[in-house]
Amino acid sequence: MPVETQFNLALELAQVFNLGSIVKSGATAFIEFARELRKTGSDIVVEEDLADIFGRGRIVPQLEESFRKEVVASTTITPVYAGSEISLCSGPGPTVIRALKEKDRKYLSTVIQLSFLGWAHGREWLSDALYNCILERSKFLSDPYAVPGFEDIKGSLEACSSQTSSFVWDSYIRYVEHSLQQKGISYREPRQQQGLSQPMLLAAMDYFYIIQRLPEDRSMLIKVNDVQDITFGVSSRPHLTVLAGGTENQAEEILLLDREMEVVLRTDIPQDIYSQLPVSSIERHTLRNCGSDMLRQTFNSAIVTADEHPVYLETINLIVAYTIALNSNIIEENPKTAKGRMQGEDLRAGFNSHQSDQWRIFDAVAVMFHDFTQTIGKAKICDMNLYHEMIKDRSLRDILHLTNNLQAYLNTGRKDSVGIDKLLENTIIELIGDVLAFAHASNVRELGMLPVIPRTGRPMMLYPDIQHSVESGTFTLHIATKRFFFDYVCAAIGSKVRDDVLHNRSNESLVVCSEFGWSVIIGNVGDFDPGDIDPFLFCVKKGVPTSSKTGERRKYIIDGPSWYSNYPIGVVDREGAKIMPRCLMPISHRVEYYSVRSETFLLSIRHDVEVSQGSPLVASSGYGEFHNALSHTLVTKLCGHSSMTTDSQVLAAPLGPDDATIVGWSWPLQHLPRICISLVKGDSRARWLVLATTSHYSGTVLRSKDCCTECALRATTALEGQWILIL
């Protein structure tokens, strides 16, 4: 491009977008910045459209200073796992960096307001409301076609939220709630029911900014039909009034009135059903004190209950007792592993069954009920024997009447709220589910600042089973898959994974799920041995998956297509042979490949497998597939023998008539012995490949590192049906 043309283009762009210091080197710098925005899911034109509206707002200096400090301090870049090409980037990206550095303060004003709206509202609903309001507003402007699309607005909101998620708006929302209560306004409904209507949002896009430019004694009165008036400001007589007029259930116009109640501005509201729908607000907390806040809301819904009241400690102890009882008896619905575990007490003793360590539950409680656990100390949480005996064979409703403090509270609370019993039961059940799920986060102690959304419907994933258990006293919890708690926490942070995002495959292909600047990661990512992995566990880290090569950000990492070279099963040793555990199909090379889709990174892991004759074979798989395979597998327990000495020698006992050692992975197994021993000992990568290919065709047993080969074979042989033992 000629220099003169490039210069003229830069001038035109600068005039259109008022970029100021961004356009430092002509069109090139502008295009580079626009490209960086696109990599995060945002768009420079959409951000400019939003800044034209929200950039007029004035931000309180103290808020701006706090916002700058906390957002910048959150900057981190960490790999998803050691050696990964994808990193988790948190903190300011292109959208926020421009807002923090640009002299034109409209960008920072816009980011701060959108950050707040994104914290307090569902993104889908907010994007739709903003689109409708901007479209309606554009009818009165010179260019009615300058309206960003729904998906474009949603992308910019998501970029803003993920880059500013470290700024906790909850304390500011609490301050407003407290202020309203002091003005005599009743506020007992959950926040998600306090939705902002689209007409009020439409009026706020202009009226609030007009009011901000009044003299210092300005004040504002908001009147919405028959709702109690809300006045903000220091003047006893409001300068302006925002009035939503119309029928009881439908606003027909929004008026801006002066002191004499004369109309200054009028906004007519389109009378379609969608314009009257509220913007779905959500109640977002940090994980630290999330449980404390839910208890406070519940216990203060009927009567004022101070934090020092013993009813809080009593309830937390009940939650801990129920969680530990359920955790000790989690039952998988997987028919293969369940069948293997149910073949007699002696046989079940040979295989691991899930029971998360109790210390994980106490760690989750220490975070979720931080205020109360700090005050009362862990020593008082809790006498487990006492509470376990109390809850045994009794329904939760009966328990509530056996505990002195809870019974006294309910007797008093029923005078003001007839539904307090059910509300308390529901809260306890929801918190049991939350504690149990977050106890499976391997790093729960580090998740105090994780934004979560309580009471959003996700408890229904566990609610029926927990409700049945606490009502019957059976203390069993049925789950469909070992990644259940991973999926639960993904929902807890607000993620809604669509089928098209997963390319219409099952949720089992999902490896990393990011929402609101945090990522949930399944527990087997990285180059580890399958015997070292607890498939129930996962971790949560701060940041959004970002390519270290291109800087592109995506919400999800999922498996790419899997593919395996044909490797027919070959029998090595048969009945009567004495075998030495070894690996006959070692992996000579392993490399990970990433490709990019609209919302996802696709990850494929290529393995080159050495065979006795010919060129290496190739297998392509993924972490989701590996995790699913491990979920369908029985893992042997500690046997008490020295696996190091035993496995370095030939097995003492010869193979039986139903036993054989094999290599390969191309199934099925109709013509093979009942017990097939895959010779992949000592090669963790080969163990993963055989695990992934066998789990779909037969029962699979994985020898753990703390179990010797002879004990693993003995436990497998005792099972009924056809099984593959992976050494």
Side-chain angles (χ1 to χ4, degrees), residues 74 106 164 193 316 348 443 560 574 687 697 699 716 725:
S74 68
K106 72 175 184 178
T164 63
Q193 298 180 18
I316 294 172
R348 286 206 305 274
N443 60 334
R574 291 187 180 273
R687 278 158 59 89
Y697 298 102
T716 307
L725 170 61

Side-chain angles (χ1 to χ4, degrees), residues 38-41 85-86 501 503 545-561 593-604:
R38 295 287 292 176
K39 289 178 181 178
T40 66
E85 178 185 315
I86 304 299
V501 170
H503 300 268
T546 305
S547 170
S548 59
K549 293 182 177 179
T550 65
E552 290 180 283
R553 297 190 179 195
R554 295 295 184 267
K555 291 183 65 175
Y556 311 105
I557 299 178
I558 66 173
D559 285 351
Y593 294 100
Y594 287 89
S595 57
V596 184
R597 297 296 184 268
S598 60
E599 294 185 72
T600 63
F601 290 115
L602 296 183
L603 167 61
S604 296

Side-chain angles (χ1 to χ4, degrees), residues 361-394:
I361 294 174
F362 282 104
D363 278 356
V365 168
V367 174
M368 296 177 61
F369 301 92
H370 180 265
D371 282 353
F372 295 119
T373 56
Q374 287 290 102
T375 302
I376 61 185
K378 184 176 282 191
K380 295 185 180 180
I381 303 180
C382 58
D383 186 341
M384 290 315 312
N385 293 330
L386 172 63
Y387 277 88
H388 186 72
E389 288 301 318
M390 180 188 298
I391 66 178
K392 190 175 181 180
D393 299 325
R394 291 189 178 97

Side-chain angles (χ1 to χ4, degrees), residues 573-582 650-655 661:
D573 303 299
R574 291 187 180 273
E575 179 184 2
K578 291 188 175 183
I579 67 169
M580 176 180 288
R582 60 204 186 277
V650 175
L651 290 185
L655 294 177
T661 61

Side-chain angles (χ1 to χ4, degrees), residues 621-642:
S621 54
Y623 289 118
E625 182 181 10
F626 285 163
H627 190 279
N628 184 43
L630 186 58
S631 298
H632 290 72
T633 300
L634 291 175
V635 181
T636 60
K637 282 186 176 182
L638 170 69
C639 68
H641 303 134
S642 172

